[in-house]
């Protein structure tokens, strides 16, 4: 297969490209390198630097790369906090970008797309584990733009015969087994990389945002899922569409929740180093508990997360951060 990966230089995109190439697929990447890194681009992938809001650029790539079987779309801004301060940046990149992309795909007869969605589409969940059919009521602009993207695909799909799979990730984490690629965000806001900055000597302590949640130790519970397992789900989703199946939405998580304190304790165990933690107030907009039911992805896609122990996830992240304390920067 020949797969076009938008955002293939980003965290989850680059890991998916590595898995696709390992599986013998041909990969074409588009990335504007705004949040992605040239060093994360797999050497065997064909890379075009450009923005998906640029229709002429998209057309020029699609004219050169004629026989694309399917698209995987990761290219989006994804910081919850930033999305509340700069909502229009999120509407512009995530929604206007997807609109231009869809116009170009339709014009070039490409009709299969897998794309990144998020647990943030649910907002404060009605119950856990969360099912795909549960209420979606985002509490931030980021989640709202992702939910709107899903709806754009639904209506455009009906009109133009395009089929899609939306993958709602829970907390992506961990790094590739090769140690060549891993998580690198600027600024970093995610729990596991921030915790590991402490044993790496880049941060004095990790802040615990809120200790008065209705959970077993008062800190938030999340469903941490290894990035390589997410990558595998994208490959299964492409196969699903190639088999002619209907558009669909799947949660991707392990179905097990860990508190912030449990994650910190596991990081202490994995690194063998002390990690100072400081208790602080709640961070605005954090739901207390987010745990996925990913039974649907297991049943329909045949997905089975393989790296489901938190120790293993943190160990893979630690290998990456220890050897790349500044991410992809020298
Ligand atoms: N946390 C801390 N200290 C930190 C950073 C995070 O205590 O320094 C806590 C957060 O409050 C939260 C948990 O650790 O309870 C996980 O936080 P992350 O920022 O790592 O992840 P989120 O659960 O906030 O975000 C994830 C995805 C988003 C998605 C969101 C849905 O990364 O893309 O779930 O709510 F939008």
């Amino acid at each position: 297969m020949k797969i076009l990966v938008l955002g293939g230089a980003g965290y989850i995109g680059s890991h998916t490209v590595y898995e696709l190439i390992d599986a013998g697929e041909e990969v074409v990447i588009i990335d504007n390198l705004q949040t992605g890194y040239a060093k994360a681009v797999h050497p065997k992938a064909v890379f075009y630097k450009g923005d998906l809001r640029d229709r002429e650029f998209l057309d020029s790539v699609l004219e050169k790369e004629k026989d694309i079987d399917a698209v995987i779309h990761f290219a989006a801004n994804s910081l919850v906090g930033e999305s509340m301060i700069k909502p229009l940046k999120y509407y512009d990149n995530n929604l206007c970008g997807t609109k231009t992309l869809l116009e170009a795909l339709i014009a070039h007869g490409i009709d299969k797309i897998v794309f990144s969605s998020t647990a943030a589409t649910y907002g404060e969940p009605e119950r856990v584990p969360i099912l795909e059919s549960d209420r979606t009521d985002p509490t931030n602009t980021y989640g709202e733009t992702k939910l709107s993207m899903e709806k754009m695909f639904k209506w455009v799909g009906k009109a133009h015969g395009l089929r899609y799979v939306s993958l709602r990730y829970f907390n992506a984490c961990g790094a590739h087994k090769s140690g060549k690629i891993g998580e690198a965000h600027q600024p970093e806001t995610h729990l596991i990389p921030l915790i590991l900055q402490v044993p790496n000597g880049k941060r004095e302590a990790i802040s615990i945002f809120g200790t008065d949640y209705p959970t077993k130790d008062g800190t938030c519970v999340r469903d941490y899922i290894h990035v390589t397992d997410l990558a595998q789900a994208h490959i299964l989703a492409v196969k699903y569409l190639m088999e002619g199946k209907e558009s669909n939405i799947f949660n991707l998580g392990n179905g097990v929740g860990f508190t912030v304190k449990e994650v910190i304790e596991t990081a202490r165990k994995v690194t063998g180093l002390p990690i100072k933690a400081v208790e602080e107030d709640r961070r605005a907009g954090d739901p207390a508990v987010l745990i996925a039911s990913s039974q649907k992805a297991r049943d329909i896609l045949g997905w089975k997360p393989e790296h489901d122990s938190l120790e293993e996830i943190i160990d893979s992240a630690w290998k990456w951060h220890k050897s790349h304390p500044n991410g992809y920067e020298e």
Side-chain angles (χ1 to χ4, degrees):
M1 287 188 295
K2 183 169 176 178
I3 312 290
L4 173 64
V5 181
L6 305 161
Y11 173 43
I12 305 172
S14 61
H15 285 77
T16 302
V17 170
Y18 268 64
E19 295 305 308
L20 283 165
I21 287 176
D22 262 7
E25 310 299 353
E26 199 182 336
V27 177
V28 177
I29 294 176
I30 290 180
D31 199 300
N32 64 8
L33 299 184
Q34 235 172 52
T35 54
Y37 293 90
K39 285 185 184 159
V41 169
H42 194 292
K44 287 193 180 152
V46 177
F47 175 53
Y48 294 90
K49 181 170 181 274
D51 197 292
L52 75 164
R53 287 161 291 192
D54 180 348
R55 177 67 196 274
E56 267 177 44
F57 163 73
L58 287 183
D59 283 340
S60 73
V61 174
L62 294 174
E63 268 146 37
K64 256 185 252 156
E65 305 290 344
K66 287 210 181 311
D67 39 356
I68 285 170
D69 293 294
V71 174
I72 310 182
H73 176 24
F74 297 97
N77 291 113
S78 63
L79 300 178
V80 171
E82 185 192 50
S83 79
M84 299 302 282
I85 299 162
K86 297 181 182 164
L88 292 173
K89 174 176 174 180
Y90 281 69
Y91 277 92
D92 182 38
N93 194 21
N94 298 2
L95 280 172
C96 300
T98 300
K99 171 192 160 271
T100 309
L101 170 69
L102 282 171
E103 286 168 348
L105 295 184
I106 292 162
H108 289 83
I110 298 169
D111 62 357
K112 292 180 264 321
I113 183 159
V114 174
F115 70 97
S116 315
S117 188
T118 168
T121 53
Y122 295 107
E124 191 66 54
E126 333 174 58
R127 58 171 167 182
V128 284
I130 303 171
L131 293 173
E132 291 82 350
S133 50
D134 286 353
R135 183 191 61 209
T136 46
D137 188 10
T139 52
N140 53 62
T141 316
Y142 166 63
E144 189 70 49
T145 59
K146 286 285 176 171
L147 186 59
S148 304
M149 272 171 69
E150 290 189 354
K151 292 186 175 163
M152 197 190 296
F153 280 103
K154 180 175 103 178
W155 296 111
V156 172
K158 279 186 200 291
H160 295 280
L162 178 136
R163 286 175 300 117
Y164 66 89
V165 167
S166 168
L167 298 175
R168 292 180 178 163
Y169 316 147
F170 282 62
N171 289 63
C173 46
H176 193 256
K177 58 179 187 293
S178 67
K180 288 188 182 149
I181 53 169
E183 188 166 8
H185 295 113
Q186 260 329 327
E188 189 51 77
T189 63
H190 295 104
L191 181 65
I192 292 176
L194 286 175
I195 292 174
L196 295 175
Q197 285 180 0
V198 183
N200 239 354
K202 299 188 68 71
R203 169 180 297 271
E204 204 194 314
I206 180 74
S207 300
I208 299 176
F209 295 145
T211 51
D212 58 348
Y213 286 98
T215 60
K216 63 178 170 187
D217 61 20
T219 65
C220 287
V221 171
R222 293 289 180 273
D223 183 337
Y224 295 90
I225 177 78
H226 197 287
V227 64
T228 298
D229 285 325
L230 290 182
Q232 288 299 341
H234 291 76
I235 297 179
L236 292 169
V238 169
K239 266 173 63 191
Y240 168 93
L241 290 175
M242 295 296 286
E243 286 162 5
K245 294 180 180 151
E246 62 185 16
S247 295
N248 221 329
I249 297 177
F250 300 98
N251 285 340
L252 298 179
N254 272 312
V256 184
F258 292 96
T259 67
V260 172
K261 284 188 175 171
E262 286 172 333
V263 177
I264 297 170
E265 200 43 52
T266 308
R268 289 183 180 125
K269 213 166 103 192
V270 167
T271 60
L273 292 165
I275 297 176
K276 188 175 164 196
V278 181
E279 296 187 359
E280 291 188 19
D281 290 344
R282 289 181 178 202
R283 185 173 72 175
D286 274 338
V289 182
L290 287 175
I291 300 173
S293 163
S294 46
Q295 199 54 47
K296 189 175 165 191
R298 291 167 192 259
D299 291 347
I300 297 179
L301 296 178
W303 182 62
K304 193 179 170 301
E306 280 177 7
H307 310 280
D308 57 356
S309 100
L310 188 61
E311 275 98 27
E312 187 186 345
I313 289 174
I314 295 180
D315 188 50
S316 75
W318 178 229
K319 284 201 179 88
W320 159 253
H321 289 291
K322 209 168 34 172
S323 56
H324 297 79
N326 301 315
Y328 291 100
E329 274 144 41
E330 296 299 335

